[in-house]
């Protein structure tokens, strides 16, 4: 699990360093300029990190499912090598899939306004500036969204249904609470992350108002990376003991 958490932390670092500096410049200066290549680069990193995080969260749910539902087989199924394979697969998809989207966007014509009403180069505001037919790009994005976002979210829900059924069979109340506490952090992060991503990129009415789009983008690009370390750290007994000692000293 710590291997997954390290890679998830890397995703959060890339998320914030890719978006927040330009966002702060836009806020402080009332706007900012970015080259077309820089805009596509920012969009690529954003999409790659988003895909990696989706697949890592799915891998973590599979890890929790095996640990709770099949504890006697966990060591044989989820060896360290298997953990590494899942991480490599997640980053490989994150590198390859957005490159297809960026290559399609790069050949579009942008002959109208060059002003993006957003705090970073998000997909929807960028496509709205194109005067070309964007149906091919939208279809390709939809084709990626189904397996990466929808199917992985359904899989996570399925694993947690099985986990909850196993937890309910535990006779001890303390045992149920202890088992559920191992999943609560991951479940909280999944709810926050997938909730905003599905609303933005998988709903039928993809062209929401810009205010809603920017609010949701701010939630998963800034608020979620900020809260994730807190959510996971507070489940760690050593972190909690350190905070308790610091509170006593203060």
């Amino acid at each position: 699990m710590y291997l997954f958490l390290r890679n998830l932390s890397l995703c959060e670092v890339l998320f914030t360093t890719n978006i927040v500096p330009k966002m702060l410049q836009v806020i402080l200066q009332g706007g900012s300029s970015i080259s077309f290549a820089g805009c596509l680069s920012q969009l690529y990193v954003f999409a790659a990190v988003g895909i990696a995080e989706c697949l890592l969260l799915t891998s973590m749910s599979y890890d929790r499912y095996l640990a709770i539902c099949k504890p006697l087989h966990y060591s044989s199924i989820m060896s360290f090598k298997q953990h590494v394979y899942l991480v490599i697969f997640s980053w490989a998809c994150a590198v390859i899939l957005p490159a297809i989207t960026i290559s399609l966007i790069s050949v579009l014509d942008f002959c109208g306004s060059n002003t993006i009403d957003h705090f970073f180069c998000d997909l929807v505001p960028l496509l709205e500036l194109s005067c070309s037919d964007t149906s091919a790009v939208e279809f390709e994005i939809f084709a990626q969204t189904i397996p990466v976002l929808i199917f992985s979210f359904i899989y996570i829900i399925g694993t947690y249904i099985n986990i909850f059924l196993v937890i309910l069979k535990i006779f001890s109340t303390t045992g149920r609470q202890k088992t559920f506490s191992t999943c609560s952090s991951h479940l909280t992060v999944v709810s926050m992350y997938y909730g905003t991503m599905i609303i933005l990129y998988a709903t039928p009415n993809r062209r929401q108002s810009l205010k809603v789009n920017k609010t949701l983008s701010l939630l998963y690009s800034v608020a979620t990376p900020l809260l994730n370390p807190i959510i996971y750290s507070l489940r760690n007994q050593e972190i909690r003991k350190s905070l308790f000692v610091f509170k006593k000293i203060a």
Side-chain angles (χ1 to χ4, degrees):
M1 182 59 72
Y2 283 108
L3 177 63
F4 292 134
L5 288 177
R6 283 196 292 268
N7 282 271
L8 195 64
S9 298
L10 177 60
C11 288
E12 309 298 10
V13 171
L14 292 175
F15 244 139
T16 52
T17 54
N18 180 50
I19 294 176
V20 172
K22 179 60 72 173
M23 180 191 72
L24 294 176
Q25 185 181 11
V26 170
I27 293 173
L28 294 174
Q29 298 181 0
S32 178
S33 62
I34 187 171
S35 65
F36 184 63
C39 184
L40 291 184
S41 299
Q42 187 182 53
L43 178 60
Y44 174 80
V45 174
F46 163 75
V49 174
I51 291 173
E53 187 156 351
C54 284
L55 297 177
L56 287 170
L57 289 172
T58 306
S59 300
M60 292 169 71
S61 70
Y62 176 62
D63 182 84
R64 289 297 85 201
Y65 165 76
L66 291 177
I68 295 174
C69 300
K70 299 181 182 294
L72 298 180
H73 301 283
Y74 178 82
S75 299
S76 60
I77 299 175
M78 284 297 287
S79 61
F80 179 75
K81 185 181 292 186
Q82 185 65 27
H83 282 84
V84 173
Y85 286 157
L86 289 172
V87 170
I88 292 175
F89 174 77
S90 299
W91 284 108
C93 291
V95 171
I96 296 171
L97 294 180
I100 302 173
T101 305
I102 297 301
S103 63
L104 293 175
I105 295 176
S106 64
V107 298
L108 295 176
D109 293 325
F110 294 88
C111 52
S113 172
N114 62 351
T115 302
I116 300 176
D117 190 6
H118 210 293
F119 56 84
F120 77 103
C121 288
D122 200 3
L123 181 65
V124 176
L126 183 60
L127 290 181
E128 289 180 346
L129 298 182
S130 175
C131 52
S132 302
D133 181 14
T134 61
S135 57
V137 181
E138 293 177 358
F139 177 78
E140 189 271 337
I141 294 168
F142 177 76
Q144 286 190 25
T145 300
I146 295 300
V148 174
L149 191 61
I150 303 299
F151 285 174
S152 60
F153 181 67
I154 293 174
Y155 179 81
I156 292 173
I157 295 300
T159 57
Y160 271 101
I161 289 174
N162 285 280
I163 289 172
F164 290 151
L165 292 176
V166 171
I167 291 175
L168 292 175
K169 293 178 182 179
I170 300 175
F171 294 103
S172 169
T173 303
T174 304
R176 286 198 297 268
Q177 292 176 348
K178 185 177 180 180
T179 305
F180 180 75
S181 67
T182 62
C183 308
S184 58
S185 299
H186 179 255
L187 190 59
T188 302
V189 172
V190 166
S191 301
M192 292 169 50
Y193 185 75
Y194 275 91
T196 53
M197 293 290 281
I198 288 176
I199 292 173
L200 271 177
Y201 299 107
T203 52
N205 183 20
R206 191 176 60 81
R207 298 182 183 274
Q208 296 118 342
S209 68
L210 287 174
K211 184 177 292 187
V212 173
N213 188 292
K214 283 187 269 190
T215 302
L216 293 175
S217 298
L218 185 66
L219 182 62
Y220 71 74
S221 62
V222 178
T224 302
L226 176 66
L227 294 175
N228 279 359
I230 300 173
I231 293 170
Y232 279 110
S233 297
L234 290 180
R235 303 308 309 175
N236 189 300
Q237 294 295 329
E238 294 180 359
I239 297 293
R240 294 172 67 177
K241 288 179 181 178
S242 299
L243 290 175
F244 180 73
V245 171
F246 178 76
K247 184 178 179 180
K248 289 183 65 177
I249 295 175

